[in-house]
Amino acid sequence: MDSFLFASTLYLLAACVAVPLAVRLGLGSVLGYLTAGIIIAPLEGLVGSETQNLQHFAEFGVVMMLFIIGLELEPRTLWGMRHRLIGLGGLQVSLTTGLILTAAMALGVPWQGATAIGLIFALSSTAIVLQTLNEKGLMGTNGGRSAFSVLLTQDIAVIPMLALVPLLVWPGLNTRAAMTDAHQDTDHGAASDVMHMLEGLPGWGVTLVTLAAIILIVVGGHYLTRPIFRYIHRARLREMYTAVSLLFVVGVAALMVLVGLSPALGAFLAGVVLANSEFRHELAADIEPFKGLLLGLFFITVGAGINFGTLMNAPFVIIGLTLGMMAIKASVLFVLAILFKIKGRDRMLFTLGLAQAGEFGFVLTSFTVQQNVLPTDMSETLLLVIALSMLLTPLLFIAYDKLQHRFLEQADAVPHDDIDDQQPIIIAGIGRFGQVVNRLLQSSGFQTTVLDHDLPLIQLMRRFGFKGYFGDPTRPEMLHAAGLAEAKVLVVALDDPKAAVKIVAFARKERPDLKIIARARDRVHVFELYKAGADKIVREMFDSSLRAGRYVLEELGLTEHDAHEQEVAFFRMDRHAMSDLAELWDPNTPVSENEAYLERAKALNRDLEVELLAKLTKPETAEAAE
């Protein structure tokens, strides 16, 4: 126990130091966790075998992550992804396996071992990729959704891979005994450790038991969770909600292990079943803290598992194999992105995001050695290649961030539209925000010229009868072609804050008399747009938040008129405050360190409270006087 506590303290201390530093440097949390593991690796002798215990404990982070992802997907949405799951994901696994198999055979590996290596490297890291996509807000993009489809297919493919590996025995190879001691620490899955209930059953029995487990998850998730949560609700103990949530996820994972299936896949299936449940948000909120911590520990164990001794013995060989494997995977992904019409930045994200090997590769590598498919020394090299490729993945995402704007025009094969109609109103950006503005203006009898760089969105807009032009609104020639010289109003409704500021600054320089209305993401973005020359600035969530606040006031007893007056007063005071604070805002000084800004903000908040309270008490004072 003392050793376990010491190991836990060491891991958590390394994470608390390395992760905030990595995030502050813009490297992301995943690279911070991996770095923490690398730092801990030389101290492994101090923590002994507890590293292995923490490693198996941390694997539940992947299980919980897929459960939460499943909660966000309705079964209807999953069914809509079937073409990408079978087509995009299936082709990625099969083509990557074939190419790496060929390359391994060219290096002298027998076809049995080469096939196993191809299967191992065909898988990507679900944990690292999804964590990074969520952190960077890229999960909703076409590239992010495509990457998720491939990852889900890979997780499903692990099952037949585990069934295929025993058929690939390398003639004359006997590593089973050596594997028991040498590779026990690198087994990242329960498939090879647990004596599951399928042993000894005929083929039809295995099928029946597997189907029974899946049916139990589906039926139990649909019919049993509601009465269980209602029963727990009567106890009114907050910790019981957490206990039941953990019981559900861990129980599903244990059931999947017993029948020889992936616990992560079972948790994902359970999440999908509960996606329509009224308790989905409660479940997600209870699991989220455990998921984040356990995933972090998992990444630390990956970093700690990198054997730098083996790397130093043959650095050029190991690095060459790692880069070669990633190049083959990236080539397959790039071709598939073209075939499935993934364009521009999404193509780059899809290609770079999935080019690494994954955590299930550890499972297959360990399993192949146990089944006499690969020799022990080769497995050491494979494990190192997998770990190094996972270590490089956050750097690839950083490269994506740096290169996406520079190569955007080259990545998009579709030429920009020729604008043949100029109207007095130009709308740059036709997403959720711009659509409402455009519909209101056209319903009021005004014509607009709409520009957006999202071709599918423009095409969808045309199908509904609205005219729009595909093109990059940040390009000066596009704005001039749209009629910037004669326009009366420019509406900047882009999602990208930097692009919005760029458009406002250019339009103000070209047309000092032009009225510019811009969408802002937050207060700092408001100040940037104000400096750039926007006339009116609308924070994207401000008006809807005001309306929600007004509804709350009405529910608390205020009349509809009084609640509306409070809303209007708050709006006016906030507009005045933003104008004052914009003059004090300094782009080179963080808001938290700008003393003049902070003092003025405090004073304005006090003024706002006084005015709102005064408006509420005026009617009461008048009634008392009568």
Side-chain angles (χ1 to χ4, degrees), residues 549-560:
R550 189 186 77 203
Y551 291 157
V552 173
L553 291 175
E554 291 175 6
E555 294 297 328
L556 292 175
L558 270 69
T559 65
E560 185 175 339

Side-chain angles (χ1 to χ4, degrees), residues 65-74 267-268 270-275:
M65 176 184 64
L66 283 172
F67 176 72
I68 291 177
I69 291 172
L71 286 176
E72 302 298 325
L73 286 177
E74 297 181 2
F268 174 79
V272 172
V273 171
L274 293 170

Side-chain angles (χ1 to χ4, degrees), residues 546-592:
L546 277 182
R547 182 181 297 181
R550 189 186 77 203
Y551 291 157
V552 173
L553 291 175
E554 291 175 6
E555 294 297 328
L556 292 175
L558 270 69
T559 65
E560 185 175 339
H561 171 76
D562 288 342
H564 174 70
E565 287 297 311
Q566 293 294 99
E567 178 188 5
V568 172
F570 185 92
F571 174 81
R572 289 174 178 168
M573 288 290 291
D574 186 82
R575 298 281 293 186
H576 170 69
M578 293 300 290
S579 299
D580 277 9
L581 293 174
E583 297 295 337
L584 298 172
W585 177 73
D586 182 359
N588 299 317
T589 305
V591 171
S592 59

Side-chain angles (χ1 to χ4, degrees), residues 26-46:
L27 303 178
S29 66
V30 174
L31 191 56
Y33 284 118
L34 292 172
T35 304
I38 293 172
I39 295 172
I40 287 176
L43 304 176
E44 188 174 358
L46 296 177

